[in-house]
Amino acid sequence: MEVRELTCVACPMGCQMTASIDNGVVVSVTGNTCPRGKKYAETECTHPVRPLTTTVKVNGGKHPVVPVKSAAPVPKEKMFECMDVLNNITVDAPIKIGDVIVDDICGTGIQIVATNID
Amino acid sequence: MLKYDLVVVGGGPAGMAAALKAKECGVEKILICERDETLGGILEQCIHTGFGLHYFGEELSGPEYAARFIEQIEQTDIDVKVNTMVLDITTNNDVIAINKDDGLMEISSTAIVLAMGCRERPRGAISIPGTRPAGVMTAGTAQRYANIQGYLAGKEVVILGSGDIGLIMARRMTLEGAKVKMVCELMPYSGGLTRNIVQCLEDFDIPLKLSHTVTQIHGDDRVEGVTISKVDSNLKPIPGTEEYVPCDTLMLSVGLLPENELSRSVGIYLDRITGGAIVDQYRETNHEGVFACGNVLHVHDLVDFVTQESQIAGEGAANYIKGKKAFSDYRIHTKGVNGVRYVVPQRICIDDSDQPVKLYFRVGQVFTNATVKVTRNGNVIYAKKKRKLAPGEMENIIIKPEDLQEFSEGDYLYIEVEG
Ligand SMILES: Cc1cc2nc3c(=O)[nH]c(=O)nc-3n(C[C@H](O)[C@H](O)[C@H](O)COP(=O)(O)OP(=O)(O)OC[C@H]3O[C@@H](n4cnc5c(N)ncnc54)[C@H](O)[C@@H]3O)c2cc1C
Ligand code: SF4
């Protein structure tokens, strides 16, 4: 049995939680104030994910770069791999909010979309 | 001379929300003056997500949050002048502004909403000894470089101050391949949101050194390193604790200051603690017909609260324009004591309104399992237990209209923390 201390980031309360993990399965969570904390602890201990936001280069836009985000949080361990891909692509203006920049980033099945116009 | 019912100074989330609300309340001629080339304010460079959780129930990035309001503005007949800097406000609410196309303009207006936001405390404000090499900049400047101009400010970074912008930039620089060596925080606690400490520092094993400061900057043309020291309980560096940290960039995230030159010039009273105007519950300042909202009033960590507050100001301005609200001299004061650093609004007009009054406040230190109390003439009119209160997180409480009756002019409402 493994015991992990973690801080819930689902809301500004930042509850300190303790999760017990047995064979890769979260068997108990304590310290959370609400059910969202438990869910966060379970995801965090089995397959942690993070929202990814960055910029990609633009050709012919008003600015040299346009901001993008992952449409859903990406696996934490793939963040740098995703960054590598995004640092090596260039898109052409015009770009609208919501335009798909990469359809399936690093085999995660997650889209990268633009978050501003350019 | 141009003539408007309402002129809004600043086209960030505060200015946009105030203008939209005033429009909704029936104000006819509204103008927004924005000195930047687009509406959106600081949100345009905040490309991380975390905006709109309260207001839209979604995690949006800054530009996405701004875009929702920009689109709404475009659907109204609100006039917008970008690249337009407001230079002055006269005592009878004329606005003096300048841009390349119109030159110097004198705009007459019934009411004004001040929504100029805030700026970062520069290095001068914290005076670190040493040389003045390139590579010392505020976190917000580094953010603008990275997210709008598209280049990285440095490769080996030390961040002074654990405000949210610094934390967000620690992650941003790390993801872009820079090495963020540490974040030094003078205080024994961080000024940033817990979720940012977890997601931006702990995720990447970036040390947060509490009770530490930068005592020397080294390097001639470019920063080569900094000396950091531990500080004692009086925030004075402790001799013998110096440590040299090589780096090419020192990023400052040491706080934000409301941008109030304009407010000062027209004689608006400012709060010593917030740095913003002293306002009543409608966000009206002591200057009749001039309202203030957003970061120019007090520094907010969540844009959602900026939007809410600015709607109050927009509605207040609309009522003023329609002559609904007479400028009432019958006011009481709010005051933070025992751990409460400030309260906004600082004044409450006692009028025939049946609306509750929401008070925003910040504490001066971390409290756990404490009670927030509001007292009036020694009687407790509100008490609520809080598991955690931290300086980095703005709190609010709602005062019911019946609790505002039977006050005398000049009475105080005290907000305090117990335990
Ligand atoms: C780096 C950073 C990160 C943040 N992260 C988050 C987050 O994750 N989640 C969240 O909810 N909130 C976040 N915030 C807070 C939120 O973005 C701000 O509270 C909000 O943008 C404040 O809105 P505002 O309209 O008051 O000010 P601003 O956005 O600063 O807008 C003020 C506008 O006024 C204009 N102006 C100023 N003076 C004049 C003048 N004289 N004439 C004409 N125009 C003028 C400026 O150009 C600017 O456009 C963050 C803030 C910063 C700085
Ligand atoms: S457990 Fe619930 S209350 Fe606590 S931080 Fe997480 S979401 Fe917030």
Side-chain angles (χ1 to χ4, degrees):
Chain A
M1 185 104 99
E2 188 201 334
V3 174
R4 259 187 73 181
E5 300 288 328
L6 40 132
T7 311
C8 180
V9 297
C11 95
M13 281 274 285
C15 295
Q16 290 297 322
M17 307 185 291
T18 309
S20 307
I21 306 146
D22 199 9
N23 266 328
V25 180
V26 180
V27 290
S28 85
V29 179
T30 56
N32 59 310
T33 308
C34 76
R36 281 203 293 160
K38 182 154 183 270
K39 191 152 172 273
Y40 173 79
E42 284 166 358
T43 314
E44 189 64 15
C45 294
T46 49
H47 56 283
V49 293
R50 294 288 182 270
L52 181 67
T53 56
T54 181
T55 51
V56 297
K57 289 189 211 79
V58 189
N59 261 335
K62 227 165 79 184
H63 300 291
V65 292
V66 69
V68 298
K69 70 172 180 187
S70 57
V74 298
K76 192 178 161 190
E77 76 280 1
K78 290 222 169 168
M79 283 176 92
F80 283 97
E81 205 183 309
C82 295
M83 284 297 293
D84 256 352
V85 172
L86 295 170
N87 277 337
N88 285 305
I89 60 172
T90 304
V91 293
D92 292 318
I95 303 282
K96 297 189 306 303
I97 292 183
D99 280 0
V100 176
I101 304 295
V102 179
D103 197 34
D104 171 8
I105 185 88
C106 300
T108 57
I110 294 166
Q111 286 183 336
I112 299 290
V113 296
T115 59
N116 209 350
I117 46 171
D118 204 39
Chain B
M1 182 146 100
L2 290 166
K3 243 179 111 51
Y4 282 91
D5 298 318
L6 173 64
V7 174
V8 176
V9 187
M16 291 195 287
L20 283 166
K21 188 71 189 182
K23 184 91 261 179
E24 193 189 308
C25 294
V27 176
E28 272 169 34
K29 292 206 70 190
I30 305 178
L31 170 69
I32 303 177
C33 293
E34 167 54 54
R35 71 173 168 204
D36 226 331
E37 61 189 26
T38 52
L39 292 174
I42 198 81
L43 293 178
E44 293 296 305
Q45 70 183 67
C46 301
I47 65 161
H48 58 282
T49 51
F51 300 85
L53 264 173
H54 296 270
Y55 194 74
F56 292 113
E58 278 179 73
E59 280 221 39
L60 301 171
S61 71
E64 289 174 304
Y65 188 92
R68 298 211 171 176
F69 290 90
I70 297 174
E71 279 160 20
Q72 285 182 50
I73 300 249
E74 281 167 355
Q75 284 161 18
T76 66
D77 59 356
I78 296 172
D79 287 339
V80 177
K81 284 187 185 290
V82 290
N83 294 315
T84 303
M85 171 97 181
V86 172
L87 301 174
D88 207 358
I89 294 169
T90 68
T91 43
N92 46 356
N93 293 352
D94 291 344
V95 173
I96 316 293
I98 190 163
N99 69 24
K100 276 217 299 280
D101 303 328
D102 306 292
L104 195 68
M105 291 170 281
E106 201 175 322
I107 308 160
S108 121
S109 187
T110 310
I112 296 171
V113 170
L114 302 174
M116 290 90 77
C118 56
R119 61 161 168 263
E120 292 176 282
R121 243 178 252 266
R123 179 185 176 191
I126 47 162
S127 61
I128 309 164
T131 48
R132 298 274 183 277
V136 182
M137 69 191 76
T138 65
T141 303
Q143 188 179 45
R144 208 176 170 84
Y145 284 158
N147 297 345
I148 295 181
Q149 260 94 319
Y151 60 92
L152 211 57
K155 291 199 173 66
E156 295 202 302
V157 187
V158 169
I159 300 177
L160 175 60
S162 59
D164 287 312
I165 316 175
L167 300 177
I168 295 284
M169 280 313 288
R171 173 176 62 189
R172 180 86 181 100
M173 303 285 286
T174 306
L175 282 173
E176 289 288 357
K179 171 88 189 139
V180 178
K181 297 202 156 171
M182 60 179 67
V183 174
C184 292
E185 170 58 58
L186 181 70
M187 305 305 284
Y189 53 82
S190 163
L193 298 169
T194 310
R195 51 185 279 144
N196 284 341
I197 293 175
V198 174
Q199 293 184 337
C200 301
L201 300 186
E202 291 175 11
D203 265 7
F204 304 103
D205 296 318
I206 299 169
L208 170 60
K209 286 180 166 297
L210 298 173
S211 299
H212 275 77
T213 191
V214 171
T215 44
Q216 182 99 40
I217 300 172
H218 308 269
D220 296 324
D221 299 329
R222 175 86 203 188
V223 175
E224 284 163 14
V226 295
T227 301
I228 65 161
S229 305
K230 210 172 155 34
V231 298
D232 62 21
S233 55
N234 295 319
L235 310 180
K236 292 268 172 299
I238 305 170
T241 61
E242 298 86 359
E243 185 190 330
Y244 179 77
V245 186
C247 60
D248 62 16
T249 305
L250 173 64
M251 229 148 78
L252 307 172
S253 180
V254 289
L256 299 163
L257 290 173
E259 189 133 14
N260 269 307
E261 281 69 24
L262 274 179
S263 324
R264 241 178 250 120
S265 73
V266 68
I268 286 172
Y269 300 145
L270 301 183
D271 182 318
R272 253 181 341 109
I273 311 274
T274 60
I278 293 177
V279 292
D280 64 21
Q281 73 267 44
Y282 308 112
R283 303 301 184 270
E284 188 176 20
T285 66
N286 63 297
H287 191 91
E288 204 182 315
V290 178
F291 296 74
C293 55
N295 274 358
V296 78
L297 185 56
H298 57 133
V299 176
H300 296 64
D301 12 72
L302 294 179
V303 72
D304 309 65
F305 293 140
V306 170
T307 300
Q308 275 177 15
E309 176 175 85
S310 307
Q311 291 172 338
I312 296 174
E315 188 174 351
N319 284 339
Y320 175 82
I321 291 162
K322 290 186 282 184
K324 265 198 197 149
K325 192 201 139 205
F327 185 78
S328 148
D329 276 336
Y330 183 22
R331 282 141 197 258
I332 60 164
H333 307 268
T334 62
K335 195 170 168 57
V337 289
N338 293 337
V340 175
R341 261 187 75 227
Y342 77 74
V343 184
V344 170
Q346 295 89 341
R347 305 259 188 280
I348 301 175
C349 270
I350 304 297
D351 50 24
D352 51 10
S353 161
D354 54 0
Q355 294 299 308
V357 174
K358 202 175 201 174
L359 301 177
Y360 293 92
F361 68 95
R362 272 181 205 274
V363 292
Q365 65 187 81
V366 178
F367 291 95
T368 43
N369 296 321
T371 305
V372 177
K373 269 184 12 187
V374 180
T375 56
R376 165 194 149 180
N377 300 332
N379 299 322
V380 178
I381 62 165
Y382 175 101
K384 191 170 180 188
K385 264 212 144 3
K386 281 277 186 180
R387 297 219 324 154
K388 190 176 168 204
L389 293 161
E393 279 157 35
M394 197 167 71
E395 300 285 336
N396 65 69
I397 49 185
I398 293 170
I399 307 293
K400 296 196 287 279
E402 54 267 32
D403 287 328
L404 291 172
Q405 303 307 315
E406 295 157 36
F407 264 106
S408 316
E409 158 77 26
D411 267 359
Y412 275 86
L413 204 59
Y414 291 102
I415 294 83
E416 61 188 302
V417 184
E418 201 177 67

